């Protein structure tokens, strides 16, 4: 399914898509595919935070320890970054949030921001079983040059540990080591997963999709179909 499957009017009504799910559930992959088919930007808080660390600025220095340990960056810092990002012109027709909100405070801040602008919010919950998450996270490799993601189990490069596109040696994300993966999954269970009950209580539009054993393109089709059905109502 592509954007052509969604009428112009329905696309107009899609404003804030929240991709929600544990580390390794495929939020980033789906966000990138949705960018191509919906033509609205991906806002990944993980990527934004990593950029600050790479830039070596004050915020980056403050948060690098937290991220290396697999913890969550304080709400006020993430909220400020997101609000500043959402004000930019490319978000005017809508945006895809990847990895945000992750706490109750973030969810409330986002909701207030959206309410003030009369923007619709749709949460897409990607459900993946624990064993698949571990496999995905431990097998993940990335090209440091072009950013292409690989997985040793499901999307291996043609040549061991080498990027198919530019021949660069692939790297493991610093927080994809076994002990940090455990911390990230714990943080998800403690602080993020409970948001599902909160979204339900608050009557938010929430779509749950089984994302365990579905190839990315097939999952994209399921997401687009779910959006179509939701926006039809
Ligand atoms: P994943 O979903 O696989 O954990 P991300 O790139 O979304 O990957 O996040 C990586 C790290 O960035 C998190 O472990 C956390 O330290 C930080 N982070 C990302 N988004 C948030 C957020 N919304 N709130 C707090 N910390 C965040």
């Amino acid at each position: 399914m592509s954007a052509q499957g969604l009428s112009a009017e329905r696309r107009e009504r899609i404003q804030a898509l929240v991709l929600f799910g544990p580390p390794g559930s495929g939020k980033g992959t789906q966000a990138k595919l949705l960018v191509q088919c919906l033509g609205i930007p991906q806002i990944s808080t993980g990527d934004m935070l990593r950029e600050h660390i790479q830039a070596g600025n004050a915020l980056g220095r403050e948060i690098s320890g937290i991220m290396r340990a697999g913890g969550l960056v304080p709400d006020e810092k993430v909220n400020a970054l997101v609000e500043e990002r959402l004000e930019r012109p490319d978000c005017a027709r809508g945006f895809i949030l990847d990895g945000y909100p992750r706490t109750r405070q973030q969810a409330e801040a986002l909701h207030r921001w959206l309410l003030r602008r009369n923007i619709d919010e749709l949460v897409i919950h990607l459900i993946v079983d624990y064993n698949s998450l571990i496999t995905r996270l431990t097998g993940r490799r990335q090209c440091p040059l072009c950013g292409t993601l690989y997985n040793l189990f499901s999307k291996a490069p043609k040549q061991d540990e080498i990027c198919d596109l530019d021949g660069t040696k692939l790297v493991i994300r610093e927080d994809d080591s076994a002990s940090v993966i455990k911390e990230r999954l714990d943080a998800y269970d403690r602080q993020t997963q409970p948001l599902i009950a909160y979204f339900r209580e608050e009557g938010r539009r929430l779509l749950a999709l089984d994302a365990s054993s579905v190839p990315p393109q097939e999952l994209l089709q399921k997401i687009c179909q779910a959006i179509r059905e939701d926006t039809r109502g």
Side-chain angles (χ1 to χ4, degrees), residues 23-24 27 45-46 49-50 67 71-73 78 99-100 102 106 140 173 175 184:
K27 301 185 296 292
T45 42
L49 294 166
R50 279 186 290 276
M67 285 182 65
L72 293 188
V73 172
V78 186
Y100 181 91
R102 262 169 145 105
Q106 293 179 15
R140 187 156 69 179
R173 222 170 81 177
D175 59 355
R184 286 161 61 206

Side-chain angles (χ1 to χ4, degrees), residues 27-200:
K27 301 185 296 292
T29 304
Q30 289 304 315
K32 288 188 177 65
L33 292 170
L34 283 163
V35 166
Q36 287 167 21
C37 85
L38 298 176
I40 53 177
Q42 168 192 19
I43 315 293
S44 158
T45 42
D47 286 349
M48 286 162 69
L49 294 166
R50 279 186 290 276
E51 276 166 24
H52 283 275
I53 293 178
Q54 238 159 15
N57 60 26
L59 175 62
R61 286 193 299 276
E62 240 177 285
I63 63 177
S64 75
I66 300 173
M67 285 182 65
R68 254 205 308 269
L72 293 188
V73 172
D75 290 326
E76 63 280 6
K77 293 195 196 314
V78 186
N79 287 340
L81 277 184
V82 171
E83 292 199 4
E84 186 271 326
R85 179 66 187 85
L86 296 185
E87 298 288 356
R88 294 198 209 154
D90 64 332
C91 292
R93 283 186 43 247
F95 42 85
I96 301 157
L97 288 164
D98 158 14
Y100 181 91
R102 262 169 145 105
T103 66
R104 172 82 172 246
Q105 235 205 50
Q106 293 179 15
E108 287 172 351
L110 173 67
H111 192 60
R112 278 195 301 273
W113 192 92
L114 295 173
L115 261 186
R116 282 202 297 275
R117 289 159 183 81
N118 204 14
I119 296 178
D120 274 353
E121 183 179 358
L122 174 61
V123 181
I124 297 168
H125 179 197
L126 303 180
I127 300 171
V128 177
D129 66 79
Y130 187 81
N131 288 341
S132 306
L133 290 179
I134 298 289
T135 308
R136 287 182 187 188
L137 291 167
T138 52
R140 187 156 69 179
R141 299 289 184 275
Q142 187 166 29
C143 173
L145 192 63
C146 69
T148 303
L149 283 171
Y150 296 87
N151 193 289
L152 302 186
F153 305 104
S154 56
K155 188 192 169 216
K158 292 194 187 87
Q159 217 185 321
D160 208 19
E161 305 283 345
I162 300 291
C163 179
D164 292 348
L165 304 182
D166 52 38
T168 307
K169 183 158 173 28
L170 303 180
V171 296
I172 301 179
R173 222 170 81 177
E174 212 179 4
D175 59 355
D176 276 345
S177 69
S179 63
V180 180
I181 287 172
K182 189 184 170 306
E183 285 306 319
R184 286 161 61 206
L185 290 171
D186 282 354
Y188 177 80
D189 285 345
R190 277 197 314 273
Q191 289 161 279
T192 308
Q193 212 279 341
L195 284 180
I196 293 294
Y198 165 76
F199 290 142
R200 285 212 186 93

